[in-house]
Amino acid sequence: MKMSSKRQKSEVLFANAKLSIPGGVNSPVRAFKSVGGNPVFMERAEGAYLYDADGNSYIDYINSWGPMILGHNHPTVVEAVKLQAEKAFSFGTPTQLETEMAELVKSLVQNVELIRFVSSGTEACMSALRLARGYTGKNKFIKFEGCYHGHADPFLVKAGSGLATFDIQTVPGIPAGAAMDTLTAKYNDLEGVMALFAQYKEDIAAVIVEPVAGNMGCVLPERGFLEGLRKLCTAHHTVLIFDEVMTGFRLAAGGAQEKLNVQADLITFGKVIGGGLPVGAFGGKKEIMECLAPVGKVYQAGTLSGNPLAMAAGIATLSILKNNTFIYHQLEQTTSSLASGLKNAFSSKGIPVVINQLGSMISVFFSEHPVRNFEEAAVTDIPLFNRFFHHMLDQGIYLPPAAFESWFVSAAISDAEIEKTIQAIKTM
Ligand code: KE4
């Protein structure tokens, strides 16, 4: 893949990074391995824009894979972190900040009675699964093909995100025992889930699902799918876990539960909840959450869980979202106009596309057929997506560097950026 000559510094930085960091990256999806070429090293960001090591600017449609919903360097969030940094970075003791953050989340997500903070979405999901298993005394759980719940062993079965992008079907280093209780079904295939319950009856501890999938590209739940999971879990005393690491505080202040009006038993959070600093969380029914140590015996811990700097960024971010819910209407409008602009631009070039979009989550699939699960996402035109990605990058538009990822629109993206994005397609 020809690299633009205007990113020479990134090339040098990448070569150096590979001497000390596997693949030169600290997370595989950043490596451009599926789209080809070398990753761009960013140096700073402001609002809707990223600025790379060579001084090029890009409209940002990845926003740190979701966290930067307000845009980069929102002054109120920056100020909150600065103020906290002058007091202390970390104590390893309880702080009032954590209670403030917990109360803020509870005010936004009604069925979170208790919440535990951790430092990543992976930690949130692995802890929620352990909790569901400890609470029910059962081991099996159901996940969906193409969904990604972080990189803890039990979840790396038919997973989405980087595993789908790199077509990693089995991950070396995961003992059979760690994944033997992982059952999988197709997203949107309620009958497949019913068949698993018919087979395993009361032995299923949990069903974990991305209520709107983002890790096979954006794929929406079909009518009745989530409601059906709710009914099956209630009937079989199975814990329904909504993995809202992507959708939480993004699709609405109350996340996918508010947007889609379906209630889970446990909810996991990440990304937006930390405003760009490392925060994950899981919460839900008191009866379940009180199985966690030190109240119960389900052990889970973390040195930097509830870190004051991260709490300060999270509180500032969620407070802005709570007090300005028009932001969600604005995000919906901006992303809808992006969706229609993309559709029109590609159809005027005779290129068939499927645009999946809900709120500020959106994906472009090069296909003539709907994309409702991973199987259908996997047969879309990936080489064309890769060409599209690099064309847009050279036009100063940064998309997620993989077809099996959702784009994330921020509140800093205005009609001007949408217009520029659509114009860029015309020269493809
Ligand atoms: P982290 O451990 O990366 O904070 O969260 C894991 C996770 C859990 N659940 C969902 C629904 C997620 O989307 C994620 C992480 N998302 C990926 C992007 N598809 C993070 C990017 C990366 O892996 O670098």
CSV table of all heavy atoms in Angstrom, one decimal, residues 27 29 65 120-122 148-150 161 210 215 243 245-246 271 405, ligand 1:
chain,number,residue,atom,x,y,z
A,27,SER,N,-2.1,-1.9,21.2
A,27,SER,CA,-3.3,-2.6,21.0
A,27,SER,C,-3.4,-3.0,19.5
A,27,SER,O,-3.2,-2.1,18.7
A,27,SER,CB,-4.5,-1.8,21.4
A,27,SER,OG,-5.7,-2.6,21.6
A,29,VAL,N,-5.5,-3.5,17.1
A,29,VAL,CA,-6.3,-2.9,16.1
A,29,VAL,C,-5.7,-1.5,15.6
A,29,VAL,O,-6.1,-1.0,14.6
A,29,VAL,CB,-7.8,-2.6,16.5
A,29,VAL,CG1,-8.6,-3.9,16.5
A,29,VAL,CG2,-7.8,-1.9,17.9
A,65,TRP,N,-11.7,5.2,19.9
A,65,TRP,CA,-12.5,4.0,19.9
A,65,TRP,C,-13.8,4.2,20.8
A,65,TRP,O,-14.3,3.3,21.4
A,65,TRP,CB,-11.8,2.8,20.3
A,65,TRP,CG,-10.6,2.5,19.4
A,65,TRP,CD1,-9.3,2.9,19.6
A,65,TRP,CD2,-10.6,1.7,18.1
A,65,TRP,NE1,-8.5,2.4,18.5
A,65,TRP,CE2,-9.3,1.8,17.6
A,65,TRP,CE3,-11.6,1.1,17.4
A,65,TRP,CZ2,-8.9,1.2,16.4
A,65,TRP,CZ3,-11.2,0.5,16.2
A,65,TRP,CH2,-9.9,0.5,15.7
A,120,SER,N,-10.7,-0.9,32.9
A,120,SER,CA,-10.9,-1.1,31.4
A,120,SER,C,-12.2,-1.9,31.2
A,120,SER,O,-12.8,-2.4,32.1
A,120,SER,CB,-9.7,-2.0,30.9
A,120,SER,OG,-9.8,-3.3,31.4
A,121,GLY,N,-12.6,-1.9,29.9
A,121,GLY,CA,-13.8,-2.6,29.6
A,121,GLY,C,-13.6,-4.1,29.8
A,121,GLY,O,-14.5,-4.9,30.2
A,122,THR,N,-12.3,-4.6,29.5
A,122,THR,CA,-12.0,-6.0,29.7
A,122,THR,C,-12.2,-6.4,31.1
A,122,THR,O,-12.9,-7.4,31.4
A,122,THR,CB,-10.5,-6.2,29.3
A,122,THR,OG1,-10.4,-6.1,27.8
A,122,THR,CG2,-10.1,-7.6,29.7
A,148,TYR,N,-17.4,-8.5,20.9
A,148,TYR,CA,-16.1,-8.5,21.6
A,148,TYR,C,-16.4,-7.9,23.0
A,148,TYR,O,-17.0,-6.9,23.1
A,148,TYR,CB,-15.2,-7.7,20.8
A,148,TYR,CG,-13.8,-7.5,21.5
A,148,TYR,CD1,-12.9,-8.5,21.6
A,148,TYR,CD2,-13.4,-6.2,22.0
A,148,TYR,CE1,-11.6,-8.3,22.1
A,148,TYR,CE2,-12.2,-6.0,22.6
A,148,TYR,CZ,-11.3,-7.1,22.6
A,148,TYR,OH,-10.1,-6.9,23.2
A,149,HIS,N,-15.9,-8.7,24.0
A,149,HIS,CA,-16.1,-8.2,25.4
A,149,HIS,C,-14.7,-8.1,26.1
A,149,HIS,O,-14.6,-8.4,27.3
A,149,HIS,CB,-17.0,-9.2,26.1
A,149,HIS,CG,-18.3,-9.5,25.4
A,149,HIS,ND1,-19.3,-8.5,25.3
A,149,HIS,CD2,-18.7,-10.6,24.7
A,149,HIS,CE1,-20.3,-9.0,24.6
A,149,HIS,NE2,-20.0,-10.2,24.2
A,150,GLY,N,-13.7,-7.6,25.3
A,150,GLY,CA,-12.4,-7.6,25.9
A,150,GLY,C,-11.6,-8.9,25.7
A,150,GLY,O,-12.1,-9.8,25.2
A,161,SER,N,-14.0,-7.4,16.7
A,161,SER,CA,-12.9,-6.5,16.8
A,161,SER,C,-11.7,-7.1,16.2
A,161,SER,O,-11.8,-7.7,15.1
A,161,SER,CB,-12.7,-6.0,18.3
A,161,SER,OG,-11.7,-5.0,18.3
A,210,GLU,N,-23.6,-7.3,23.2
A,210,GLU,CA,-23.5,-5.9,22.9
A,210,GLU,C,-24.9,-5.5,22.4
A,210,GLU,O,-25.4,-5.9,21.4
A,210,GLU,CB,-22.5,-5.6,21.8
A,210,GLU,CG,-21.1,-5.9,22.1
A,210,GLU,CD,-20.2,-5.6,20.9
A,210,GLU,OE1,-20.3,-4.5,20.3
A,210,GLU,OE2,-19.4,-6.5,20.5
A,215,ASN,N,-18.5,-4.3,17.2
A,215,ASN,CA,-17.2,-5.0,17.0
A,215,ASN,C,-17.2,-6.0,15.8
A,215,ASN,O,-16.3,-6.7,15.6
A,215,ASN,CB,-16.8,-5.7,18.3
A,215,ASN,CG,-16.3,-4.7,19.3
A,215,ASN,OD1,-15.3,-4.1,19.1
A,215,ASN,ND2,-17.1,-4.5,20.3
A,243,ASP,N,-23.3,-5.6,27.6
A,243,ASP,CA,-22.0,-5.0,27.5
A,243,ASP,C,-22.1,-3.6,26.8
A,243,ASP,O,-22.2,-3.5,25.6
A,243,ASP,CB,-21.0,-5.9,26.7
A,243,ASP,CG,-19.7,-5.3,26.5
A,243,ASP,OD1,-19.5,-4.1,26.9
A,243,ASP,OD2,-18.8,-6.0,26.0
A,245,VAL,N,-20.0,-1.1,27.1
A,245,VAL,CA,-18.7,-0.5,27.0
A,245,VAL,C,-18.7,0.5,25.8
A,245,VAL,O,-18.2,1.7,26.0
A,245,VAL,CB,-17.5,-1.5,26.9
A,245,VAL,CG1,-16.2,-0.8,26.5
A,245,VAL,CG2,-17.4,-2.3,28.1
A,246,MET,N,-19.3,0.2,24.7
A,246,MET,CA,-19.4,1.1,23.6
A,246,MET,C,-20.6,2.0,23.7
A,246,MET,O,-20.6,3.2,23.4
A,246,MET,CB,-19.4,0.4,22.3
A,246,MET,CG,-18.1,0.1,21.6
A,246,MET,SD,-18.5,-0.5,19.9
A,246,MET,CE,-16.8,-0.9,19.4
A,271,LYS,N,-14.9,3.2,28.1
A,271,LYS,CA,-14.8,4.3,27.1
A,271,LYS,C,-15.4,5.6,27.6
A,271,LYS,O,-14.8,6.3,28.4
A,271,LYS,CB,-15.5,3.8,25.8
A,271,LYS,CG,-14.8,2.6,25.2
A,271,LYS,CD,-15.4,2.1,23.9
A,271,LYS,CE,-14.9,0.7,23.5
A,271,LYS,NZ,-13.6,0.8,22.8
A,405,GLU,N,-15.3,-2.6,12.6
A,405,GLU,CA,-15.3,-1.6,13.7
A,405,GLU,C,-16.4,-0.6,13.5
A,405,GLU,O,-16.6,-0.2,12.3
A,405,GLU,CB,-14.0,-0.9,13.9
A,405,GLU,CG,-12.8,-1.8,14.2
A,405,GLU,CD,-12.9,-2.4,15.7
A,405,GLU,OE1,-13.8,-2.0,16.4
A,405,GLU,OE2,-12.1,-3.3,16.0
B,1,KE4,P1,-11.1,-2.4,26.8
B,1,KE4,O1,-10.5,-3.4,27.6
B,1,KE4,O2,-10.4,-2.3,25.4
B,1,KE4,O3,-11.2,-1.0,27.5
B,1,KE4,O4,-12.7,-2.8,26.5
B,1,KE4,C1,-12.9,-4.0,25.9
B,1,KE4,C2,-14.3,-3.9,25.2
B,1,KE4,C3,-15.4,-4.5,25.8
B,1,KE4,N1,-16.6,-4.5,25.3
B,1,KE4,C4,-16.8,-3.8,24.1
B,1,KE4,C5,-18.2,-3.8,23.5
B,1,KE4,C6,-15.7,-3.2,23.4
B,1,KE4,O5,-16.0,-2.6,22.3
B,1,KE4,C7,-14.5,-3.3,24.0
B,1,KE4,C8,-13.2,-2.6,23.3
B,1,KE4,N2,-13.5,-2.1,22.0
B,1,KE4,C9,-12.3,-2.1,21.2
B,1,KE4,C10,-12.7,-1.5,19.8
B,1,KE4,N3,-13.5,-2.4,19.1
B,1,KE4,C11,-11.2,-1.3,21.8
B,1,KE4,C12,-10.0,-0.9,20.8
B,1,KE4,C13,-8.8,-1.8,21.1
B,1,KE4,O6,-9.0,-3.0,21.3
B,1,KE4,O7,-7.7,-1.2,21.0
